[in-house]
Amino acid sequence: AATLRTQFELLDIDYRGLLIYNPEWQVNYVVGARWGNLEQHFAAGFAPATGFEQVLAESEFDGGGMKLGLESLRFHPTTQFFCYGKGYASFLAGTFRTRYEFDSPTQTNPTISGLNLNRLVTMVDLEAGVGWQSFTGNLRFSAGYLFSSWFNTVRVNEFINSVQTNNFVDPSTNFRGMTCFDGLTTKIEVLW
């Protein structure tokens, strides 16, 4: 049996400014700060004839940095509906903390390994969707699809491979440690 749990958290503080505007569409620039947390926890248990064995591994990242982006809106000419597109690039400096443990009844001591790596993680976020806003423009509802890539990460499977091959020079061998998330997103915005 094995489990892999991956989760991330983001905190953004943004300033939006209007680049281009006319009654049917607009383009905004975004400058801000971002904090990010990425956690990956792996656990596996084996039951050979010699007794129960288990592998526990984790990779955790915390970092902060700057965020840059562009946002565009295209308004419907006769209704309050709109379509939108957003693109951001973020650069987070932080530390990956990794840990590996292997317990077996055939060993007197468990195999334990850990590694801390400072990295600059680049994030690229792309989002597109549709929405509705009130006549005053102060309230917006939107739904879309988000694709996010984190580059230069230390994935837990790559760290396990580094421990097993005893090669810690660069534990990110899969496309330079690329981790991707995608899915549907919904937002309620209050603007002033």
Side-chain angles (χ1 to χ4, degrees):
T3 62
L4 173 63
R5 184 172 59 92
T6 302
Q7 69 180 29
F8 68 93
E9 296 176 345
L10 299 173
L11 175 64
D12 293 336
I13 299 173
D14 294 339
Y15 175 81
R16 289 186 178 114
L18 194 58
L19 272 178
I20 303 169
Y21 174 80
N22 73 37
E24 292 185 4
W25 56 276
Q26 70 183 41
V27 177
N28 298 316
Y29 67 89
V30 177
V31 177
R34 172 173 274 186
W35 170 84
N37 168 266
L38 175 64
E39 295 186 9
Q40 301 168 78
H41 299 275
F42 175 78
F46 308 92
T50 57
F52 183 74
E53 300 177 348
Q54 73 174 0
V55 173
L56 304 172
E58 62 187 19
S59 175
E60 298 180 355
F61 171 78
D62 285 297
M66 65 182 299
K67 175 183 171 184
L68 304 170
L70 290 174
E71 300 178 343
S72 64
L73 284 169
R74 171 81 166 136
F75 299 102
H76 189 271
T78 59
T79 68
Q80 297 304 112
F81 289 95
F82 62 88
C83 60
Y84 70 90
K86 301 178 181 181
Y88 308 108
S90 304
F91 308 94
L92 308 183
T95 302
F96 279 93
R97 298 168 310 282
T98 58
R99 186 172 183 275
Y100 173 91
E101 181 178 342
F102 174 68
D103 292 309
S104 173
T106 60
Q107 296 178 330
T108 56
N109 294 319
T111 301
I112 297 175
S113 181
L115 184 64
N116 290 345
L117 295 168
N118 295 323
R119 292 276 176 104
L120 178 64
V121 173
T122 303
M123 297 175 61
V124 177
D125 302 317
L126 301 172
E127 182 181 343
V130 295
W132 176 90
Q133 74 175 5
S134 63
F135 282 103
T136 60
N138 295 101
L139 181 63
R140 282 187 188 159
F141 299 94
S142 62
Y145 193 80
L146 172 67
F147 180 81
S148 179
S149 291
W150 299 46
F151 297 93
N152 203 24
T153 64
V154 178
R155 295 166 44 128
V156 72
N157 61 318
E158 295 167 345
F159 178 64
I160 292 171
N161 186 54
S162 295
V163 172
Q164 292 174 344
T165 61
N166 199 26
N167 178 12
F168 297 95
V169 176
D170 186 7
S172 58
T173 57
N174 182 329
F175 303 108
R176 293 288 304 152
M178 184 172 72
T179 302
C180 295
F181 302 98
D182 67 324
L184 298 175
T185 179
T186 58
K187 291 187 183 72
I188 299 173
E189 297 176 276
V190 178
L191 308 169
W192 64 89

